[in-house]
Amino acid sequence: MAELLAPAGNFDSLYSAVYNGADAVYLGLDVFNARIKADNFNQENICDVTRFCHIHGVKVYVAFNVSIKEDEFDALKECIIACREAAVDAFIVTDIGAIAHFDAYAPDIPLHASTQMAIHNAEGAIVAKKLGFSRIVVARETLLCDIKKIKEETGLEIEYFAHGALCVAFSGNCLLSGMIGGNSGNRGRCLQPCRLKYTSSLNGKSSHWLSPSDQCLIEKLETLNNAGVDSYKIEGRLKSANYVGSVVKCYRYAIDNDGNIDKVLYENMVKTFNRGDFTKGYNFDSTKEIMSHKVQGNIGLRIGKITKSVKNGFYIKTDVKLSDKMGVKILDGDGYEIGGLGITDPQKTGDGYFIKSVNTFYPDNSEVRLTLDESSESYVKKKIPIKITVNQDKNVLTVKFTDMRNGSSSEISETFDYAESRPTSNDELADQIGKLGDTEFFVSDIDISYEGNLFMRKAIINDMRRTAVKRLEENVLFDYITSRENTVRESGRAVMIENRNRLKYSLCVEIENEYAITSYIANNANIIVNMPEFCIDTLKSIIKCVLKYNTSPEIVLKLPNVARGKDIDNIYKIIEGSKEISGIYADNLYAIEIANRFDLKVVGGSLLNIYNSKTVKRLELENYMISAELNLGECKEFSSDAFVFSYGYMPLMTLTHCPLQLAGKSACGCGCRYSGPFSYSDERHAFAIRRIKNVNCIFTLMNSVIHDIRAKINSVRFNKFVSFVNVDADYDGVARSFAENKTVAPNGNFTYGHLMRGVK
């Protein structure tokens, strides 16, 4: 059965994970991790963490799952060295440019490709293997058919999120928090604006349209295992130790008992944290089960209904025993949150309880959910069983401690005087040598062969015991480390991009149809084709229009950043039928592999999140977009041939659920009524949402204001990327101004993006 992998945001959660049965934990240091708001660990205590975990046979994976800026690599080096010296078991890595540092300073420690790398098909996994990864944490949106194909074609370990929060944005491809306030999710600082309320233009209603339910796949573990999953991952480095313990304990029981679920453990897990009554995710549920737009936050365990509200409280019909320090949330008949409170002095009634609550009137039959129960413990310390053997040889006493799990042992001998009057008894010896106190061990068996004729001072026996425990710990740790594969991992030296020719022009123009094509654009720009309907006929119409102006144009096909299941087959058919294409715009690693197979140029897209020049070198890119989250000062290490996003509506996130279904505008089975971009709005922003239809649909949430850097164009020394997707403009005039570096004062509401500010 697969590994059970638990989160550890602090020491309390670490203990909770280990003592409740995790096989491995993942955690971050106080820098370079995607949960920077967790308590986290540091270079000083990471040795204590691994020592504790390894003694219990638990692996430690350290997450360096953020994008790394050019001036941060020295600090990263120090972190890597500290983790190597602590003998961590693996690194979880997002930034491709950082791989060279892991090769240089910890070549013997495996690399796991973070879910932020958005690997979700076999083509992307092949690139990850070339880069030197031995495991991929696949995107939460990855389909079972693609998991099977990844395993068959690469043999890589596959880690899959089995439980916890879902991000509405396709894994690792969200710029929303950074764009709104500079707190980038790619830097571990996401403020989760997706969890707020927005008004949908589809139905005019305000709700949590971008808030998914929490995922629970405890009923699907065998299915995941059969698909090729090697590790069941639990999300939650920002959650409590009680949450970590309850989830680990529940999944541990299911794994150890052929998939059977303990009802008590399950209900405890549900009330600890449960957003949206759980979903089984993209492989098993529809949009309406995946999203939790009615309630944001924990709705806990359903325990009953309100039978009556009075002036000073209300009555609950429930079989659950209520007590002080519990908390409840109240939902109306349609499932929307209408209140909640902490319980104080609940009064037992005939078939439930009376709860005090001044001036709150809830409708009869309102649903009551238990969301807080402080009575449950996070963990009980789980000690390691050892056998103590004591043997006497004349006046020499030898004590041996043996780990009952794996046979690791320690031994110590001491010479004592023969007793003249009162010798140490067997019981006294057993009692003193077995006092293991706060150590990680307990005496499971003791075998004493002692003649009862020696005088042993208690202080000496105590010293023997302490020394034996210390030596046993060291031997357990030594045996653990030597049991790991003693081979240097592959450093990923394979050629990434086989065709490294540069694009012709210093200007890229992104179009979605032929209406934006002019003679000037066709002859002075690389055409990036971003089709809303991903089909051969649409592409041929665009190519025909371009060829009318230029017989040898530079046409680059932008592949969707998500391609699942049969999407890949359709992409191959389109490329095979379009010989005029000279390159592939790659927003995801899988597109690089496809470009290689067709011997096409590669343009590294904005969603590859290229934060440093080392990424360019590792991927061997000649054409690429610098991350839209860097400011001009941070871009100084890049070649001036690189492109920056200069005009258009920046795509902020990709949605793989169907917003139309959520708003009641289409039927299941994609009876889609999409008729053009719609929007989600708050008090300040209106974010347009555009659909891309391959075999499967994906939706792109666009920035609320247009990028336009022409007023600062003389300070931007890089090539320019202009997007006319979802834009009504003077296409020819805009393109000319960028191609000729003309300063133009923008009209209306606009942004320079991060070029003048950057992110934290």
Side-chain angles (χ1 to χ4, degrees), residues 168 192-212 288 291-297 332 334-337 657 659 662-664 679-683 687 689 701:
V168 68
Q192 294 189 303
C194 53
R195 299 292 185 185
L196 302 176
K197 281 189 173 183
Y198 294 91
T199 299
S200 171
S201 66
L202 291 170
N203 58 16
K205 295 180 180 179
S206 178
S207 199
H208 300 282
W209 298 116
L210 291 171
S211 184
K288 290 186 177 180
M291 302 303 291
S292 176
H293 71 93
K294 293 180 179 180
V295 181
Q296 203 299 105
D332 68 14
D334 294 322
Y336 289 91
E337 180 180 349
H657 71 276
L662 196 62
S679 66
Y680 286 162
S681 304
D682 60 16
E683 294 179 353
F687 300 101
I689 298 177
L701 185 140

Side-chain angles (χ1 to χ4, degrees), residues 236-251:
R237 279 191 285 154
L238 288 173
K239 294 194 175 79
S240 68
N242 192 27
Y243 163 87
V244 173
S246 66
V247 178
V248 170
K249 188 183 297 183
C250 191
Y251 275 78

Side-chain angles (χ1 to χ4, degrees), residues 56-73:
H56 284 272
V58 174
K59 294 179 179 179
V60 178
Y61 306 148
V62 179
F64 290 99
N65 54 343
V66 295
S67 298
I68 310 294
K69 294 182 179 181
E70 199 78 42
D71 62 357
E72 295 176 330
F73 280 101

Side-chain angles (χ1 to χ4, degrees), residues 23 63 72 82 89 112 161 367 375 386 398 401 581 585 691 746 750 753:
D23 298 309
E72 295 176 330
D89 296 277
H112 296 176
F161 280 90
E367 190 172 303
S375 63
I386 65 170
T398 299
F401 283 12
I581 294 173
Y585 182 98
R691 187 194 68 169
F750 75 98

Side-chain angles (χ1 to χ4, degrees), residues 119-129 136 142 145-154 156 563 568 572 590 593 597:
I119 297 167
H120 61 288
N121 53 40
E123 285 77 2
I126 287 169
V127 175
K129 188 171 184 177
I136 52 174
T142 308
C145 60
D146 290 314
I147 292 175
K148 291 177 181 178
K149 194 174 179 184
I150 289 169
K151 179 62 75 174
E152 290 169 0
E153 295 194 14
T154 69
L156 292 171
I568 290 285
Y572 282 133
Y590 87 87
E593 176 63 16
R597 293 183 183 185

Side-chain angles (χ1 to χ4, degrees), residues 508-526:
C508 279
V509 172
E510 181 183 25
I511 61 169
E512 56 184 339
N513 52 50
E514 60 266 34
Y515 302 116
I517 300 169
T518 67
S519 174
Y520 183 86
I521 291 173
N523 285 281
N524 293 277
N526 311 297

